[in-house]
Amino acid sequence: MPVFHAHIPKGHYSSDQKTAIARSLNLSLVQGLGIPKEDCFICLSEHAKDELFIHPTFMGMQRSTSALIITVLIGDHRPSVEKQQLMATITELLKQHVGISPDDVFIALIPVPNENFSFGQGMAQLAGCSPQW
Amino acid sequence: MPVFHAHIPKGHYSSDQKTAIARSLNLSLVQGLGIPKEDCFICLSEHAKDELFIHPTFMGMQRSTSALIITVLIGDHRPSVEKQQLMATITELLKQHVGISPDDVFIALIPVPNENFSFGQGMAQLAGCSPQW
Amino acid sequence: MPVFHAHIPKGHYSSDQKTAIARSLNLSLVQGLGIPKEDCFICLSEHAKDELFIHPTFMGMQRSTSALIITVLIGDHRPSVEKQQLMATITELLKQHVGISPDDVFIALIPVPNENFSFGQGMAQLAGCSPQW
């Protein structure tokens, strides 16, 4: 149930590239955390030039006009090592599948208790059970 | 102060239906948690087909093209029972008022300390007092 | 790395005003928390009338059609006093630089562990070190 929201520059990525961004994010769960590929809940939002402000060099990066911000709602049971694996995998797959420079990928993982997710039917499917993945 | 953000498929819901989605979310606080109906802070965002990716069956649901993702910033003092009541009420009201199938409603509740909200004037109105609702 | 997302009414603010909103948010980190001005990661999203619902008076405010909702992903190490300083500074700067009434500014600070941010290269640059700012 990691839920992705990618904030991308408007008109910069083609429809195919937008789909490839989503596919890369989905695949990062499979490859980075061993989550089934069916666990796919992803939004992209385009922002015009006057709606997206990302510093070109902060923290030693060389960011381009392709730079994007990705937020991920992620189970708060994940240890540091898994979170680092996920961030590395997202960045690697966006490079492989979309050609996005690793310097252009900003990620924030927002921790959420597993019992706070409903996959449908208004039920908290993960309440009271230990995480499967 | 639960703050809602609903991510919906672009062009799928009419303007009246979008308003009914917002009204249902607002009402879920009143009916599910006993919060006053004036506590209304809601955004909707439309996402085109290449911007919204929701798996059609993961976790045993039968999702349609109406499927949506709802995030809620919610006070971190809420016990499990209240969170489950809220998720059930959201889903029920979206069915009643908008005709959305319960299988189509994905919800994530993001916990936020009450002192982290400002309702205006730059003040943290809920800092240092116990939650009223 | 506080990351801002401002939800604003569609067509209400000019392009210059949108840029001024972003500049005010960036400056709030510098003035409110002593963060370097290069730490700039900001999105704005416009919402039409049927996509943004903010109560006009809840909690004693007099909100106008300019009202907006700002979310901030912020390091979870921040004490209450710093969070309150940030909310006050955001509101003050939006008044000074954009002319937005303090009653119109709703803010939610979402706490995120510092190790959950990647500034690029897929690395968690702040993992294992104490916050510099």
Side-chain angles (χ1 to χ4, degrees), chain A residues 3 5 15 18 22 38-45 73 112-113 115-122 124-125 127, chain B residues 7 47 50-55 58-59 61 63 71 80 83-84 87-88 91 102-103 105-111:
Chain A
V3 179
H5 192 178
S15 185
K18 286 156 78 173
E38 290 76 19
D39 193 346
C40 178
F41 300 91
I42 300 170
C43 309
L44 280 71
S45 292
L73 304 182
V112 175
E115 66 172 15
N116 285 22
F117 289 98
S118 174
F119 291 84
Q121 293 284 350
Q125 283 87 356
Chain B
H7 298 275
H47 300 269
D50 54 10
E51 296 172 346
L52 187 59
F53 301 84
I54 299 179
H55 196 273
F58 187 61
M59 297 291 279
M61 301 296 145
R63 298 190 189 88
T71 65
S80 300
K83 294 189 287 188
Q84 291 178 26
M87 294 195 283
T91 306
D103 282 27
V105 181
F106 183 101
I107 303 168
L109 309 180
I110 303 166

Side-chain angles (χ1 to χ4, degrees), chain B:
Chain B
M1 79 305 193
V3 178
F4 293 96
H5 193 176
H7 298 275
I8 63 175
K10 191 170 184 165
H12 184 82
Y13 292 104
S14 69
S15 184
D16 281 356
Q17 286 176 314
K18 286 157 79 173
T19 302
I21 289 172
R23 220 177 281 132
S24 303
L25 295 175
N26 178 236
L27 204 55
S28 73
L29 300 182
V30 180
Q31 292 189 11
L33 298 178
I35 286 175
K37 74 174 188 325
E38 289 76 18
D39 194 346
C40 177
F41 301 91
I42 300 170
C43 309
L44 281 71
S45 291
E46 290 199 330
H47 300 269
K49 281 206 174 143
D50 54 10
E51 296 172 346
L52 187 59
F53 301 84
I54 299 179
H55 196 273
T57 62
F58 187 61
M59 297 291 279
M61 301 296 145
Q62 294 299 325
R63 298 190 189 88
S64 73
T65 54
S66 303
L68 73 171
I69 295 172
I70 297 167
T71 65
V72 192
L73 305 182
I74 190 170
D76 64 359
H77 64 289
R78 299 276 174 202
S80 300
V81 61
E82 292 192 6
K83 294 189 287 188
Q84 291 178 26
Q85 241 164 267
L86 179 61
M87 294 195 283
T89 309
I90 290 171
T91 306
E92 175 59 24
L93 292 175
L94 287 172
K95 184 184 167 194
Q96 272 181 37
H97 295 287
V98 200
I100 298 175
S101 158
D103 282 27
D104 279 332
V105 181
F106 183 101
I107 303 168
L109 309 180
I110 303 166
V112 175
N114 285 306
E115 65 171 16
N116 285 22
F117 289 97
S118 174
F119 291 83
Q121 292 285 350
M123 288 166 16
Q125 283 85 356
L126 306 180
C129 48
S130 31
Q132 292 182 263
W133 303 291

Side-chain angles (χ1 to χ4, degrees), chain A:
Chain A
M1 81 304 193
V3 179
F4 292 96
H5 192 178
H7 298 274
I8 63 175
K10 190 168 186 169
H12 184 83
Y13 292 105
S14 70
S15 185
D16 281 358
Q17 286 176 313
K18 286 156 78 173
T19 301
I21 289 172
R23 218 179 281 132
S24 302
L25 295 176
N26 178 236
L27 203 56
S28 73
L29 300 181
V30 181
Q31 292 189 11
L33 299 178
I35 287 175
K37 74 174 185 324
E38 290 76 19
D39 193 346
C40 178
F41 300 91
I42 300 170
C43 309
L44 280 71
S45 292
E46 290 198 330
H47 300 269
K49 280 204 176 144
D50 53 11
E51 297 172 345
L52 188 58
F53 300 85
I54 299 179
H55 195 273
T57 62
F58 187 61
M59 296 293 278
M61 301 296 145
Q62 292 299 325
R63 300 189 188 90
S64 74
T65 54
S66 304
L68 74 171
I69 295 172
I70 298 168
T71 64
V72 193
L73 304 182
I74 190 169
D76 64 359
H77 63 289
R78 299 279 173 198
S80 299
V81 60
E82 292 191 6
K83 295 190 285 188
Q84 292 179 25
Q85 240 165 267
L86 179 61
M87 294 195 281
T89 310
I90 289 170
T91 306
E92 175 59 25
L93 292 174
L94 287 173
K95 184 184 166 189
Q96 272 180 38
H97 296 286
V98 200
I100 297 175
S101 158
D103 282 27
D104 279 332
V105 182
F106 183 101
I107 304 168
L109 309 180
I110 303 166
V112 175
N114 285 305
E115 66 172 15
N116 285 22
F117 289 98
S118 174
F119 291 84
Q121 293 284 350
M123 288 166 17
Q125 283 87 356
L126 305 180
C129 49
S130 31
Q132 292 182 264
W133 304 292

Side-chain angles (χ1 to χ4, degrees), chain C residues 4-125:
Chain C
F4 292 96
H5 192 176
H7 299 275
I8 62 175
K10 191 168 184 168
H12 184 83
Y13 292 105
S14 69
S15 185
D16 280 357
Q17 286 176 314
K18 286 156 78 173
T19 302
I21 289 172
R23 218 179 280 133
S24 302
L25 295 175
N26 178 236
L27 203 55
S28 73
L29 300 180
V30 180
Q31 292 188 10
L33 299 178
I35 287 175
K37 74 174 187 322
E38 290 75 19
D39 194 345
C40 178
F41 301 91
I42 300 170
C43 308
L44 280 71
S45 292
E46 289 199 330
H47 300 268
K49 281 206 177 144
D50 54 11
E51 296 173 346
L52 187 59
F53 300 85
I54 299 178
H55 196 273
T57 61
F58 187 62
M59 295 293 278
M61 301 296 146
Q62 294 299 326
R63 299 188 187 90
S64 73
T65 54
S66 303
L68 74 173
I69 295 172
I70 298 167
T71 65
V72 193
L73 305 181
I74 190 168
D76 64 0
H77 64 289
R78 298 278 173 200
S80 300
V81 60
E82 292 192 6
K83 295 190 285 189
Q84 292 179 24
Q85 241 164 266
L86 179 61
M87 294 195 281
T89 310
I90 290 170
T91 306
E92 174 60 24
L93 292 174
L94 287 172
K95 185 184 165 192
Q96 272 180 38
H97 295 288
V98 200
I100 298 174
S101 158
D103 282 27
D104 278 333
V105 181
F106 183 100
I107 304 167
L109 309 180
I110 303 167
V112 175
N114 285 306
E115 66 173 15
N116 284 24
F117 289 97
S118 174
F119 290 84
Q121 291 284 351
M123 288 166 16
Q125 282 87 354

